[in-house]
Amino acid sequence: MYFFFLGESGERNPLVKKDEPFVMLALGLHEYQWRRFETTLNGRKLLLIQNIFDRTGVRLDLADAEVHSVDIRIPKKRAQHPFLRHLTEAELNGLMDLYYTQLEARHFTVMAIVVDKACLLNYMDKEKVTKKVYELLLERGESFIGIEHPKQQAIFVLDKTSKELNHSIAMKHAYFQRSQTSAGVRLKHVVEMPFFVESYLFNPRRSHRTTQSLFNRALQLSSPT
C-alpha cells in the first residue's frame, strides 16, 4: 500500500496574486517504509527535546516540534517557535538535513501540479481550481502505481481544511471511483475515500512542507521573470 500525502502552497483564488503559481504537491510513501521513517524522525526530535531540557529546563513534547518551512526560513518566526527557538544552528541544520535525506532513504515519490493562474478561464474559482488540481494528482498517482507497482494500492491523505472544501473533494473523489476522471482515467489502484488528518503529529506532512518549499524555490529560479 502506498500513501500519498498532499499539500498546497500559494493562493488558490484565481483572482488573487495572479503572477504567483498555485501548487499542489504529493509525497508517496510505501507502508513498508512508514515505521522506519517515523522512528528516524521522532528519534531525532526526542533527542533534541531532551537536549533542550538539559540545557534550559524547558520541557517539550513531540507536538511542540511541529515544523513549518516558514518557521525555519524567517528568523522572527523561528524565534517565536516553542521548539526551534531552543535549537543551536548545528541542531537545526541537522534536523533539516535529516528530513531531506529521508526522501531518498525511504524512496519517496514526488509529484506536483503547478497552476499558472493568469491562464485560467473566468469561470474558475478557488474550489474548482482545488478540485481540478486534486483530480490531476489522482491521475498521476494512479498512473505511477499502475506502471511501477501494479500489485499495490494507494490512499490519498490531505490536511483538514474547511468542512465544506473537504466534503467537496471527497464527493468528487467518490464520483471518480464510480466512474472515471474527465480524461477517462479509471481509479483501479487508488482505493478508499481520501483521509483528512491533523498535521501536528504527522511527520510525512512536515517532510511535505520542507519538500514543497524546495520545489517552490526551484520554480522561482526557473522562471524567466
Side-chain angles (χ1 to χ4, degrees):
M1 177 70 73
Y2 266 83
F3 294 90
F4 286 94
F5 307 97
L6 277 62
E8 61 190 52
S9 67
E11 174 55 61
R12 62 175 176 257
N13 187 339
L15 302 178
V16 178
K17 298 181 179 179
K18 285 192 172 185
D19 58 333
E20 295 183 7
F22 171 66
V23 179
M24 186 175 285
L25 184 142
L27 287 182
L29 178 66
H30 190 269
E31 61 176 318
Y32 177 74
Q33 298 288 351
W34 181 287
R35 183 177 294 275
R36 297 179 180 184
F37 175 72
E38 284 285 302
T39 299
T40 301
L41 267 295
N42 285 341
R44 175 67 63 87
K45 282 184 279 189
L46 288 170
L47 176 62
L48 293 173
I49 287 171
Q50 183 62 48
N51 290 345
I52 290 170
F53 178 74
D54 293 341
R55 288 197 302 261
T56 68
V58 175
R59 190 176 297 279
L60 303 171
D61 56 34
L62 282 174
D64 297 311
E66 179 182 5
V67 178
H68 297 255
S69 61
V70 66
D71 295 323
I72 298 169
R73 291 184 288 105
I74 301 176
K76 184 178 179 180
K77 292 279 188 179
R78 190 163 64 244
Q80 297 171 346
H81 194 280
F83 172 68
L84 295 178
R85 67 184 180 188
H86 295 292
L87 297 183
T88 66
E89 195 71 21
E91 288 173 334
L92 177 62
N93 291 336
L95 181 60
M96 291 302 97
D97 287 344
L98 185 61
Y99 274 117
Y100 294 131
T101 57
Q102 285 298 294
L103 293 174
E104 182 177 3
R106 304 306 167 206
H107 307 290
F108 275 91
T109 298
V110 182
M111 302 182 295
I113 304 297
V114 182
V115 178
D116 185 347
K117 292 184 292 186
C119 298
L120 292 175
L121 299 177
N122 292 333
Y123 72 88
M124 295 294 285
D125 57 25
K126 60 183 180 181
E127 181 177 329
K128 290 185 175 69
V129 169
T130 304
K131 290 194 293 186
K132 185 61 181 178
V133 171
Y134 178 75
E135 177 186 358
L136 294 173
L137 274 179
L138 272 179
E139 291 175 345
R140 279 149 183 78
E142 174 64 37
S143 177
F144 168 75
I145 297 295
I147 295 172
E148 300 293 337
H149 306 283
K151 294 183 179 181
Q152 297 290 328
Q153 295 180 318
I155 289 176
F156 275 49
V157 183
L158 298 85
D159 269 345
K160 284 185 178 179
T161 53
S162 71
K163 182 178 180 180
E164 294 77 14
L165 182 58
N166 290 348
H167 179 269
S168 181
I169 290 174
M171 291 301 97
K172 196 71 172 176
H173 185 107
Y175 170 78
F176 294 145
Q177 286 187 310
R178 294 194 309 271
S179 180
Q180 60 187 19
T181 69
S182 56
V185 176
R186 294 189 178 275
L187 304 182
K188 300 177 181 179
H189 299 88
V190 179
V191 297
E192 260 294 349
M193 297 292 282
F195 291 174
F196 297 96
V197 300
E198 300 285 357
S199 65
Y200 66 95
L201 274 179
F202 206 50
N203 280 316
R205 186 66 186 95
R206 290 194 287 280
S207 285
H208 185 286
R209 291 191 181 106
T210 53
T211 306
Q212 185 134 28
S213 178
L214 277 182
F215 186 83
N216 291 344
R217 180 59 177 162
L219 279 180
Q220 293 172 3
L221 293 175
S222 63
S223 171
T225 57

